[in-house]
Amino acid sequence: EVQLVESGGGLIQPGGSLRLSCAASGFAVSSNYMSWVRQAPGKGLEWVSIIYSDGSDLYIGGSTHYADSVKGRFTISRDNSKNTVNLQMNSLRADDTAVYYCARDRHPLGDGYFDLWGRGTLVTVSS
Amino acid sequence: EVVMTQSPATLSVSPGERATLSCRASQNVNTYLAWYQQKPGQAPRLLIFGASTRATGIPARFSGSGSGTEFTLTISSLQSEDFAVYYCQQYHNWPPLTFGGGTKVEIK
């Protein structure tokens, strides 16, 4: 079955760190652009970060991008051996509280929209 | 950054009626526009991409139109399972990828 399963969420104090993981099955994360999208309680969707596929252009394969709100604090990475995509979150703030979704780009070379989503993992930043 | 604005915020519709949702982009995004449906406690589901192409398995009662800065999602005859929140998203100028604020379709 093709699916994404996120893990690693929880309650963390402001200033703390957390690492989210997204385990893929039924396809290889190395062959797809993968993103993290978050949703604060009762709010809309906010794109957080993307990592390009290994199959992208020679010069941009594996490239990453971030929303301004997380740039310098979050790092997206991929572990091809485990078929996972990870999000290292440092210097967490209260406004990072959200459900974090892992999402797959519909096109292997990255169109920028998502045909497969995980169920999400809740991150709560509070003292 | 391309700002996406959806209207109305809430749409009250009776089952069997037509629902028309709007999405406006702050700059031209051509037809690089997707629509998603999200039900409470669930992840978003892709409905439409390329402004008007239905994703796999999406019923024909869902249709998308528009280009440039003005887009519409139409649900021709609302079924009980269609009451949800709908988001538009542009993928023309990124990063960042940007979503609209959502339209909640509720039972009238």
Side-chain angles (χ1 to χ4, degrees):
Chain A
E1 180 184 4
V2 177
Q3 64 176 356
L4 297 167
V5 178
E6 302 92 338
S7 61
L11 176 63
I12 187 76
Q13 291 189 339
S17 297
L18 210 55
R19 184 178 178 85
L20 305 183
S21 185
C22 169
S25 55
F27 73 99
V29 295
S30 61
S31 299
N32 290 83
Y33 284 48
M34 300 294 298
S35 279
W36 288 93
V37 177
R38 68 184 181 182
Q39 186 169 37
K43 302 297 184 182
L45 301 169
E46 179 190 17
W47 172 80
V48 172
S49 181
I50 192 168
I51 185 165
Y52 288 18
S53 65
D54 286 345
S56 306
D57 180 272
L58 175 65
Y59 300 101
I60 66 172
S63 294
T64 60
H65 294 289
Y66 301 92
D68 286 346
S69 58
V70 306
K71 199 171 294 182
R73 301 186 299 123
F74 290 12
T75 302
I76 190 171
S77 62
R78 185 173 53 224
D79 186 331
N80 293 343
S81 67
K82 296 180 179 179
N83 208 27
T84 61
V85 178
N86 305 302
L87 187 68
Q88 177 66 42
M89 305 186 297
N90 299 330
S91 303
L92 283 161
R93 312 184 304 220
D95 62 358
D96 294 318
T97 294
V99 173
Y100 285 73
Y101 295 102
C102 177
R104 181 185 73 176
D105 197 292
R106 181 180 177 274
H107 194 281
L109 293 182
D111 276 343
Y113 62 95
F114 313 111
D115 70 337
L116 181 67
W117 297 68
R119 299 183 70 174
T121 186
L122 176 62
V123 173
T124 303
V125 184
S126 174
S127 55
Chain B
E1 173 176 330
V2 180
V3 177
M4 307 301 293
T5 303
Q6 291 186 242
S7 62
T10 304
L11 186 62
S12 298
V13 186
S14 299
E17 290 188 340
R18 173 188 295 260
T20 302
L21 290 67
S22 295
C23 175
R24 174 176 294 178
S26 63
Q27 57 187 264
N28 179 23
V29 298
N30 201 319
T31 56
Y32 294 92
L33 192 284
W35 289 94
Y36 301 88
Q37 176 194 67
Q38 187 179 34
K39 297 178 181 179
Q42 296 185 17
R45 177 175 71 145
L46 178 66
L47 296 177
I48 300 282
F49 61 91
S52 61
T53 302
R54 281 188 301 276
T56 303
I58 302 304
R61 64 180 181 274
F62 291 91
S63 63
S65 63
S67 66
T69 62
E70 300 285 342
F71 301 89
T72 300
L73 175 69
T74 301
I75 311 171
S76 60
S77 177
L78 271 160
Q79 307 298 303
S80 58
E81 62 266 29
D82 300 336
F83 293 96
V85 180
Y86 293 83
Y87 295 95
C88 61
Q89 180 228 328
Q90 70 81 24
Y91 52 99
H92 185 247
N93 293 323
W94 64 277
L97 295 161
T98 51
F99 294 87
T103 291
K104 181 180 181 180
V105 177
E106 64 176 23
I107 300 174
K108 186 174 183 180

